[in-house]
Amino acid sequence: MEILLLFVLLTFGLFIGVPIGISICLATALTLFFTSHIPLIIIAQDAFAALDSFPLLAIPFFILAGSLMSSGGISKRLVALAESMVGDIAGGLGMVTVIACMFFGAISGSAVATVSAIGMLMIPAMRKKYPESFGAALTAASGIVGVLIPPSIPFVIYGVVSGASVGQMFIAGIIPGILVGLGFMVICYYVAKRRNFPATKDEVARRGFWRNFIDSFWALMIPVIILGGIYAGIFSPTEAAVVAVVYGLIVGKFVYKELTFKSLFNIFSEASLVNGATSFMIGLSMAFAHYLAMEQIPQKIGMALSAISNNMIVVMLLIIVFLLIVGCFIDNISSTIILTPIFLPVMKNLGMDPIHFGIVLTVALATGFVTPPYGCNLFVASAISNVSIERMTKEMIPFILYMVLLLVILTVFPSLSLCLVDLLYR
């Protein structure tokens, strides 16, 4: 009865539009009040204990770094570089969008920030060559790379919730992130060929590559400094986020000279609001996870799944189906916090590496960025392009199918996620 009441209250709160953090808090508090003698103050204690975490400091700084780089002229230089690399190939303008999102994802760690920063530049450009629904859908899909190419905010969240190494999660995300980007580029090429989209030959010639490379050099150094510093042991992922903020501030203000004091005020204000909402949700979600552990819900779910199969791959595929459904209704961070304590113990008992599970979990939930009705990437791309989500969804089908195929491949072949981790850490 306790479990049923908990999830009924949580589902009802989400269904009527109550913010996720408040829904989690109310569901946990009401369940404790009606079914136990545990004092409700434990919710506040768990929430504050959860936020007293050094790795969590990486989140506000990566959010701030992404905003600084978006407003500081960095994103448009990355787009120009990508354009000089592949712009004159069939579907090249779409490939430019994918590559630019990969570059920006290696800076911001956020899917929504990636769609916003790159979409403002690329969606108007693609409208001249492609149907506007395809350009908007491609930009929304490409934003997925923002949470897979390290650094990644969802990887930080997973590391905090699961106890896994954030640095190892960053390393493990490199190959899956590249596979997502390459797959989307192949889709762009195929669609352009089949639908006779014109190539982008004006002002795109590769002869401008070195000029664009030099112009974007300071922007390209950001992921090199962040990831190089982490893997060389110079600083932790949290300290790397602070370095990214300082570097982005210096480059945007004094090198590219596109940051103004007014824009800095808006950037810091926006980052503070986003971090406040995120921290509130994370703290209360930890109280929710503590209650799940007290009620031994992961063990009960594990027993139910074991009754279906003891094969790790079969059970993981069943979980993936569930994650894809959840991703349609709940955002990535909330889902990671809620579901990791439930499913990770089950998969660890079946012999799955926690890093491998974290990658599959993140890729599955990241697909929810582009699946209606909740897909937040769809909302951002729709706002920029003025294209309805219904029209974008039709164009999104090949990208979603590829993500599902990639999930199966990552599950069956764990070395795709773990080979670099094994090489560098084990």
Side-chain angles (χ1 to χ4, degrees), residues 84-109:
S84 65
M85 294 167 62
V86 296
D88 55 350
I89 302 172
L93 203 56
M95 295 183 189
V96 169
T97 302
V98 177
I99 294 175
C101 285
M102 294 175 73
F103 282 149
F104 196 81
I107 296 171
S108 70

Side-chain angles (χ1 to χ4, degrees), residues 5-242:
L5 178 61
L6 178 69
F7 284 98
V8 166
L9 290 171
L10 177 60
T11 304
F12 178 74
L14 296 175
F15 180 76
I16 65 175
V18 178
I20 180 69
I22 297 176
S23 294
I24 291 171
C25 178
L26 288 176
T28 307
L30 291 174
T31 304
L32 283 174
F33 181 79
F34 287 114
T35 65
S36 74
H37 298 290
I38 300 173
L40 295 185
I41 195 174
I42 192 174
I43 296 176
Q45 292 173 339
D46 286 341
F48 277 98
L51 294 176
D52 186 18
S53 169
F54 182 70
L56 275 181
L57 286 174
I59 295 175
F61 286 112
F62 277 130
I63 292 172
L64 180 57
S67 297
L68 285 169
M69 293 161 194
S70 175
S71 302
I74 290 175
S75 55
K76 70 180 183 182
R77 286 169 172 81
L78 295 176
V79 167
L81 177 63
E83 195 173 11
S84 65
M85 294 167 62
V86 296
D88 55 350
I89 302 172
L93 203 56
M95 295 183 189
V96 169
T97 302
V98 177
I99 294 175
C101 285
M102 294 175 73
F103 282 149
F104 196 81
I107 296 171
S108 70
S110 167
V112 174
T114 301
V115 174
S116 178
I118 303 303
M120 293 293 289
L121 297 171
M122 293 308 303
I123 288 178
M126 284 190 287
R127 186 179 285 119
K128 301 174 183 177
K129 300 287 183 179
Y130 308 151
E132 57 184 7
S133 57
F134 178 78
L138 172 62
T139 306
S142 300
I144 293 174
V145 185
V147 298
L148 299 178
I149 296 283
S152 162
I153 291 174
F155 285 167
V156 175
I157 298 291
Y158 176 81
V160 172
V161 175
S162 67
S165 165
V166 175
Q168 290 186 25
M169 286 297 300
F170 283 179
I171 280 284
I174 292 176
I175 292 179
I178 291 174
L179 289 176
V180 171
L182 291 177
F184 286 178
M185 291 173 68
V186 171
I187 293 173
C188 286
Y189 180 82
Y190 173 77
V191 171
K193 281 290 189 181
R194 187 170 65 86
R195 297 166 64 175
N196 295 318
F197 292 163
T200 310
K201 295 182 179 179
D202 48 316
E203 298 184 297
V204 178
R206 290 192 176 98
R207 65 177 179 271
F209 172 79
W210 289 111
R211 179 172 54 83
N212 288 321
F213 177 81
I214 293 171
D215 190 38
S216 61
F217 174 79
W218 295 104
L220 293 173
M221 285 301 295
I222 298 172
V224 173
I225 291 172
I226 294 174
L227 302 180
I230 293 173
Y231 305 143
I234 299 174
F235 38 68
S236 69
T238 303
E239 292 164 339
V242 180

